[in-house]
Amino acid sequence: MKWNTPSVLSILSTSILTHHHTFYFCILTFDLKPITKQILLKAKRFGFSDRQLATIWKTDELAIRKLRKQLSVHSVFKTVDTCAAEFEAETPYHYSTYEQESEVRVSDRKKVIILGGGPNRIGQGIEFDYCCVHGVFALEEEGYETIMINCNPETVSTDYDQTDKLYFEPLTLENVLDIYEVEKPEGVIVSFGGQTPLKLAKALEANGVKILGTSSDSIDVAEDRKRFGDLLKKLHIPHPQDGTATSVEEAETVAARIGYPVLVRPSYVLGGRGMEIVYRVDALREYMKAAVSVSPDHPILIDKFLEDAKEFDVDAVCDGKDVLIGGVLQHIEEAGIHSGDSACVLMPQVESVQVIEQLKDFTRKLALALNVKGLINVQCAEKGGIVYVLEVNPRASRTVPFISKAMGLPLAKIATKVMLGKTLRELGLPLDRQPKHIAVKEPVFPFGKFPKAKVYLGPEMRSTGEVMSISDTFGEAIAKAFVGAGGTLPSEGGVFISVNNNDKNYRTVEVAKGFQQLGFTIYATSGTQVFLTKHNIPVTSVFKVNEGRPNIVDHIKNGAIDIVINTPLGETSRFDELAIGSAALEAKLPIITTVSAAAAAVKGIQWMRDQKSSVKSLQEYHSEESATHLEL
């Protein structure tokens, strides 16, 4: 008997499909001809995706899709009746299965599909759902039937009455193509759901799907480091030196060329997962040895880390000819802290207006060069008066909802209308509206729920939410942000300051002087105490945890400390930091882990002691602006 005969294939298939845990270890055939409709239908009914079957049968996903079409093995869509059959449901939603009859009613209206963000995870969450829902609103205003594909029950976009049709399906090539072929929409929007749908853009376009907005090729230019680097050189835009490596030796060569410290990360990460700042060659070797899935297709990315640099985000909308600058955000934390974990201020607190204008200029140039149709996010850093572009995302970013609310500009709705063919000038919008007030985005962390968690921030995202504050002054906005995030800023008492060697500079001196002028008693461990004393700042020295008693943890427990400022280096021992962090969390003290955030806290405390809080609604703030407002 030959191994590729239908009978053997049937037996092997039955065995595989009955024992799911063994299917990855069986090889059936390189030839799909013996695969019958019965075998394929059974596989699909057992829940095997085309991609899984391609792995089993040593072929590719599209070959399985082609075979399904040849054998007339198609998914059908069943309906979940949201009215429990009491009366006809106008808002049902659908799921796929491999049965006989489809319950989807396809209308003859013009329609658009929006791909959601998929499962919520740290680094990709409700911000993208906000953009998806606002995209739905804009499509409805333009007379389109709205179709949402998403698989997360905890989002607004999957509320059954939010869209005309909801397909509760995974965000995979197979599922999206199945729905696209049934609905035959005008196009698909992939840029509102974050990285998950964006990764599908190229494959969808290759299979005849019309992508609304920025093309998959432009998306690829922004994602591909070499193509993106070439574009920056062509536009004469500065960029930190970088490189890629697939081995320890290659990583050492790249790091030696661009100079330490370096930022290392795997390819295709979400929320900064696996990122580290490396200061020495031995730490780089340890990282490379621990790195997983390093291959020519998934190399480790190595960038020059700009220490003590100010970081910025710019969100904009481009229609191919004009660029609307939604807002420029300055990160309160310096470069090296993940953008999702950094507090941000709209109306950057920088001395040079030229820096802001350069940020806007680079954003315009990149949006037009990439032929963006819709949203674009540009992340930059400024050091020594030079603005460097770090990365560009031709999609919705996590800061879009914040900027939209703070500025009164519904960026996702504007972007949707641009994708449908309208121009920014047709919409009558100012291309560069200046903010009239200050808004602060403050991240919310789950550390209070996890007393033993590491509370120190870095390039890997840790926050699970954010709050927004708004005011006419920076100090009040900061104070409101701390309160909104569930914390408080003390107006008096003791402050503990312990900074790493890199932070022993004029910025730490200014922070300490600020607390001194506010009447705080300053406590510090030996190294920081010596540094501050040299600058004529009175300091009470305290022991580290392993140096004796009473140590800093004892002082926290005894109520002598009201605010903790501690900035450990990523490569140092975390014994003291964990003990201090746990004690501060238990005492419900504010913990500040960067000098820039400490400087902001000083301004917040100064305002709290001198002023009374003002309360106004967003509508009141926006009504005070003279810019044109449209019902978008």
Side-chain angles (χ1 to χ4, degrees):
M1 184 184 295
K2 295 182 179 179
W3 280 99
N4 62 348
T5 59
S7 56
V8 172
L9 286 171
S10 180
I11 294 168
L12 286 174
S13 297
T14 303
S15 172
I16 288 167
L17 298 175
T18 310
H19 303 87
H20 289 196
H21 62 282
T22 61
F23 81 91
Y24 277 115
F25 304 97
C26 299
I27 298 175
L28 295 188
T29 179
F30 292 93
D31 182 9
L32 294 178
K33 290 179 182 177
I35 305 300
T36 65
K37 180 176 180 178
Q38 181 184 7
I39 292 173
L40 189 55
L41 184 60
K42 186 171 186 179
K44 299 304 291 183
R45 285 179 173 173
F46 269 62
F48 283 83
S49 67
D50 287 354
R51 192 170 180 180
Q52 287 173 317
L53 293 175
T55 301
I56 297 170
W57 291 329
K58 294 296 178 182
T59 184
D60 60 72
E61 183 178 355
L62 293 178
I64 300 296
R65 184 173 189 82
K66 184 178 178 182
L67 178 65
R68 282 203 293 113
K69 288 187 175 183
Q70 289 173 350
L71 298 177
S72 296
V73 176
H74 304 291
S75 63
V76 298
F77 295 93
K78 297 296 184 181
T79 299
V80 176
D81 186 350
T82 54
C83 296
E86 289 188 45
F87 45 86
E88 187 175 358
E90 295 183 3
T91 54
Y93 58 97
H94 312 286
Y95 64 94
S96 65
T97 184
Y98 279 82
E99 297 298 333
Q100 300 299 316
E101 183 183 359
S102 182
E103 297 174 357
V104 167
R105 299 175 183 175
V106 180
S107 73
D108 57 1
R109 292 175 59 194
K110 58 180 182 178
K111 54 182 80 81
V112 169
I113 291 175
I114 295 180
L115 302 188
N120 273 7
R121 51 179 80 88
I122 292 178
Q124 176 167 322
I126 204 66
E127 308 94 340
F128 299 116
D129 198 58
Y130 171 98
C131 295
C132 289
V133 172
H134 275 241
V136 169
F137 294 160
L139 288 169
E140 289 174 343
E141 289 173 9
E142 297 299 315
Y144 284 81
E145 180 180 329
T146 57
I147 301 170
M148 177 67 63
I149 305 177
N150 205 357
C151 58
N152 188 343
E154 294 296 322
T155 57
V156 180
S157 67
T158 52
D159 287 355
Y160 59 81
D161 58 351
Q162 197 64 241
T163 57
D164 293 308
K165 277 184 183 172
L166 166 65
Y167 285 88
F168 206 81
E169 292 290 293
L171 272 298
T172 67
L173 179 64
E174 175 184 349
N175 292 98
V176 174
L177 287 178
D178 284 348
I179 297 166
Y180 185 86
E181 289 172 1
V182 169
E183 292 289 352
K184 297 179 174 57
E186 305 284 315
V188 175
I189 294 176
V190 301
S191 56
F192 286 167
Q195 205 68 21
T196 302
L198 206 68
K199 287 180 180 178
L200 296 176
K202 201 168 186 177
L204 289 172
E205 209 162 49
N207 282 274
V209 173
K210 183 180 179 182
I211 302 296
L212 295 180
T214 308
S215 70
S216 62
D217 184 62
S218 293
I219 293 169
D220 187 63
V221 171
E223 295 280 334
D224 186 287
R225 290 170 71 83
K226 185 178 185 310
R227 296 183 71 188
F228 183 57
D230 292 343
L231 177 64
L232 292 176
K233 287 176 185 175
K234 181 181 175 182
L235 297 175
H236 304 290
I237 294 176
H239 181 266
Q241 293 186 67
D242 59 21
T244 60
T246 57
S247 67
V248 175
E249 293 75 20
E250 284 183 14
E252 289 182 27
T253 302
V254 172
R257 172 174 59 83
I258 65 180
Y260 290 92
V262 294
L263 181 70
V264 289
R265 58 192 167 113
S267 308
Y268 308 107
V269 296
L270 188 66
R273 185 166 47 86
M275 281 191 183
E276 279 189 28
I277 300 166
V278 171
Y279 288 83
R280 300 191 311 268
V281 65
D282 55 340
L284 179 64
R285 288 172 186 150
E286 288 299 315
Y287 180 89
M288 291 299 294
K289 288 175 184 175
V292 295
S293 302
V294 180
S295 69
D297 293 328
H298 296 87
I300 293 297
L301 311 180
I302 304 174
D303 297 87
K304 175 66 178 175
F305 175 58
L306 301 174
E307 281 192 293
D308 198 26
K310 296 183 178 73
E311 196 163 347
F312 300 87
D313 265 68
V314 186
D315 280 311
V317 179
C318 180
D319 63 9
K321 292 183 179 179
D322 293 308
V323 180
L324 181 155
I325 302 294
V328 179
L329 289 173
Q330 180 185 352
H331 295 205
I332 291 175
E333 280 79 11
E334 62 274 5
I337 305 299
H338 192 279
S339 60
D341 283 355
S342 178
C344 296
V345 56
L346 184 69
M347 190 184 285
Q349 306 295 294
V350 294
E351 297 173 3
S352 174
V353 178
Q354 290 180 336
V355 170
I356 305 303
E357 291 307 313
Q358 197 164 33
L359 289 165
K360 294 177 180 179
D361 181 55
F362 287 169
T363 300
R364 293 186 189 102
K365 286 180 177 177
L366 286 163
L368 294 172
L370 289 167
N371 196 30
V372 169
K373 298 285 179 65
L375 286 164
I376 181 172
N377 168 260
V378 181
Q379 296 180 20
C380 305
E382 180 269 327
K383 184 175 181 179
I386 301 173
V387 175
Y388 299 87
V389 169
L390 304 178
E391 63 177 274
V392 172
N393 299 303
R395 58 166 172 82
S397 73
R398 65 174 51 83
T399 50
V400 164
F402 171 72
I403 288 180
S404 297
K405 290 172 183 286
M407 293 293 292
L409 275 174
L411 295 179
K413 292 181 75 174
I414 295 168
T416 304
K417 296 194 176 190
V418 165
M419 290 179 195
L420 296 175
K422 290 200 171 183
T423 66
L424 292 169
R425 295 188 185 276
E426 278 182 87
L427 295 171
L429 294 162
L431 299 182
D432 190 3
R433 178 188 293 177
Q434 300 300 319
K436 305 294 183 183
H437 44 259
I438 295 172
V440 170
K441 175 180 80 73
E442 180 74 23
V444 176
F445 298 95
F447 303 139
K449 305 282 186 183
F450 305 99
K452 300 299 181 183
K454 296 179 181 180
V455 299
Y456 301 96
L457 306 181
E460 184 168 321
M461 189 170 170
R462 312 284 298 284
S463 64
T464 52
E466 61 191 32
V467 298
M468 169 181 165
S469 66
I470 192 166
S471 174
D472 293 321
T473 65
F474 181 60
E476 182 180 13
I478 286 291
K480 285 181 175 179
F482 267 89
V483 173
T488 55
L489 285 174
S491 58
E492 58 184 7
V495 55
F496 170 70
I497 302 177
S498 178
V499 296
N500 63 65
N501 289 332
N502 290 352
D503 285 334
K504 288 171 182 172
N505 52 35
Y506 73 95
R507 294 165 66 242
T508 298
V509 172
E510 290 301 313
V511 167
K513 283 182 178 178
F515 278 106
Q516 181 190 3
Q517 290 166 2
L518 288 166
F520 279 76
T521 301
I522 300 174
Y523 297 83
T525 48
S526 56
T528 304
Q529 184 259 335
V530 169
F531 168 72
L532 293 177
T533 301
K534 285 181 181 177
H535 290 83
N536 302 315
I537 299 171
V539 179
T540 301
S541 182
V542 296
F543 288 127
K544 293 181 180 179
V545 175
N546 56 356
E547 288 180 343
R549 306 292 292 269
N551 56 42
I552 178 55
V553 172
D554 295 322
H555 282 284
I556 291 173
K557 290 181 177 180
N558 293 336
I561 307 297
D562 296 280
I563 183 169
V564 171
I565 299 168
N566 192 17
T567 69
L569 274 179
E571 61 177 339
T572 59
S573 168
R574 291 299 176 91
F575 181 78
D576 264 23
E577 286 72 22
L578 286 172
I580 293 167
S582 296
L585 282 173
E586 189 175 338
K588 295 183 169 53
L589 301 183
I591 307 169
I592 297 175
T593 62
T594 64
V595 175
S596 46
V602 169
K603 291 187 177 181
I605 294 170
Q606 287 171 341
W607 177 87
M608 286 170 56
R609 291 177 59 159
D610 300 334
Q611 306 288 332
K612 288 186 178 180
S613 180
S614 61
V615 178
K616 284 192 287 189
S617 67
L618 277 175
Q619 289 80 359
E620 287 176 295
Y621 277 107
H622 297 324
S623 66
E624 294 169 2
E625 298 180 10
S626 58
T628 304
H629 282 261
L630 296 180
E631 287 297 324
L632 286 168

